[in-house]
Amino acid sequence: MPALSDAALDQLFRTARSQNKWTDRPVTDDDLRALYDLLKFGPTSANCCPARFVFLRTAEGKERLRPALSKGNLNKTMTAPVVAVIGWDRRFYEKLGTLFPHEPSAPSWFNGSEASIHTNGFRNGTLQGAYLILAARAIGLDAAPMSGFDAAKAEAEFFPGGDVAVNFICGLGHGDPSGVFPRLPRLAFEEACTLG
Amino acid sequence: MPALSDAALDQLFRTARSQNKWTDRPVTDDDLRALYDLLKFGPTSANCCPARFVFLRTAEGKERLRPALSKGNLNKTMTAPVVAVIGWDRRFYEKLGTLFPHEPSAPSWFNGSEASIHTNGFRNGTLQGAYLILAARAIGLDAAPMSGFDAAKAEAEFFPGGDVAVNFICGLGHGDPSGVFPRLPRLAFEEACTLG
């Protein structure tokens, strides 16, 4: 396969930025279905797909999140056309019979192993959260991922049964470039990578 | 921004597949630098960039990983042109003075909070692992991410100082489509998503 075009690499990574202000342009339910229909194909271990998403599109829906938001993230979140609450299902392994059907013992891999459930659910649910960010950019949306909020409060509000752990939230919409901060530095290749 | 082309969305998500067999076509050090120069721009909270990568390109390098591999993942890993060992730095917060310079108190947010260090390091390091998978596909490489291996053994081998936790590994190369398994099912929108 050839590399994607420079414009596509810019849109996904190089010039894409986390947003703080939004234009009025809406995010439609069709956009959200298109978003899921891409991100769902991102790989997870044993295809476990533990991420669960609540897409808050209405003023009432976003108000439910308000008490969990930190002051610094309040405005950009409440004004986002859609806010995704990204969680992971603490009972994700119960679906492995459907998701990994050639290995009927797969659900039993997690029997009584809280640590393994947490590690696998959190890891793979987070991978899927990253797929959401990049799939949003791929379909022309901007993203504003945030973990600076009260996850326990959000969990009690959106997943009161305790089956889903809240991971992070992500504003979705069309960003207003006037709200973007200067790009922060990144680690040099040599600081983050070793060749072996 | 417009959506990327259908071909690009296929390459990133819809027809991209985790690989089990590889062609002889190599992955160059320039490819790895291009890969890092994309993935490094993916967002992390407070720009904390905790992921650390070891790119095993030589037979000797990959042999160091062999004792940690599970039988089912052995062949596809040892034959991959490059295997990335993806970890996260347990002292990532020490770099926030450079990475988040406008908030000099940022390193102190993590003072003595093991749980917060783990949650933030693991979450953001995993996001960066997903950025690696999708950046690889974006530059025309295939990926084979795996968590079925002995992470403690890999950590002792590659990060003996204890500063870096091993998260998952990922083969990189040009896949031989004859090794790809049939696509497994995904959860329907209604099973994974709620509109609010």
Side-chain angles (χ1 to χ4, degrees), chain B residues 23-39:
Chain B
T23 72
D24 289 339
R25 195 172 152 198
V27 174
T28 66
D29 289 0
D30 283 350
D31 290 333
L32 297 174
R33 287 178 183 272
L35 178 65
Y36 179 71
D37 279 340
L38 288 175
L39 79 88

Side-chain angles (χ1 to χ4, degrees), chain A residues 1-5 7-14 16 18 25 29 32-33 36-49 51-58 61-62 64 95 98-102 118-120 122-124 126-131 133-135 137-142 145-147 151 159 166-168 174 183-196, chain B residues 1-5 7-14 16 18 25 29 32-33 36-49 51-58 61-62 64 95 98-102 118-120 122-124 126-131 133-135 137-142 145-147 151 159 166-168 174 183-196:
Chain A
M1 287 177 302
L4 301 186
S5 68
L9 299 178
D10 285 348
Q11 180 167 331
L12 291 167
F13 292 105
R14 291 189 298 225
S18 293
R25 195 171 152 199
D29 289 0
L32 297 175
R33 287 178 182 273
Y36 180 70
D37 279 340
L38 288 176
L39 79 89
K40 72 181 181 185
F41 287 122
T44 55
S45 62
N47 192 37
C48 64
C49 302
R52 303 292 178 263
F53 307 93
V54 180
F55 293 112
L56 303 172
R57 310 115 72 229
T58 64
K62 283 180 268 180
R64 294 175 61 198
K95 294 202 193 295
T98 306
L99 294 170
F100 207 62
H102 53 289
H118 184 271
T119 298
N120 283 279
F122 188 30
R123 177 190 292 124
N124 287 287
T126 301
L127 291 174
Q128 291 186 280
Y131 303 151
I133 294 168
L134 289 174
R137 293 173 172 181
I139 62 169
L141 296 174
D142 287 297
M146 276 164 273
S147 56
F159 303 106
V166 167
N167 192 348
F168 66 98
H174 296 89
R183 174 73 97 180
L184 290 166
R186 294 299 192 269
L187 299 177
F189 183 88
E190 287 68 22
E191 292 174 287
C193 305
T194 309
L195 294 174
Chain B
M1 287 176 301
L4 301 187
S5 69
L9 299 179
D10 285 347
Q11 180 167 332
L12 291 167
F13 291 106
R14 292 189 296 226
S18 292
R25 195 172 152 198
D29 289 0
L32 297 174
R33 287 178 183 272
Y36 179 71
D37 279 340
L38 288 175
L39 79 88
K40 72 181 181 186
F41 287 122
T44 55
S45 62
N47 192 37
C48 63
C49 302
R52 303 292 178 263
F53 307 93
V54 181
F55 293 112
L56 303 171
R57 312 113 72 228
T58 64
K62 283 182 266 180
R64 295 175 62 197
K95 294 201 192 297
T98 305
L99 294 171
F100 207 61
H102 53 291
H118 184 272
T119 298
N120 283 280
F122 189 29
R123 176 190 292 123
N124 287 288
T126 302
L127 291 175
Q128 290 185 282
Y131 304 150
I133 295 169
L134 290 174
R137 293 172 172 182
I139 62 169
L141 296 175
D142 287 298
M146 277 164 272
S147 56
F159 303 105
V166 168
N167 192 347
F168 67 98
H174 296 89
R183 175 72 96 179
L184 290 167
R186 293 298 192 269
L187 299 177
F189 183 88
E190 287 70 22
E191 292 175 286
C193 305
T194 308
L195 295 174

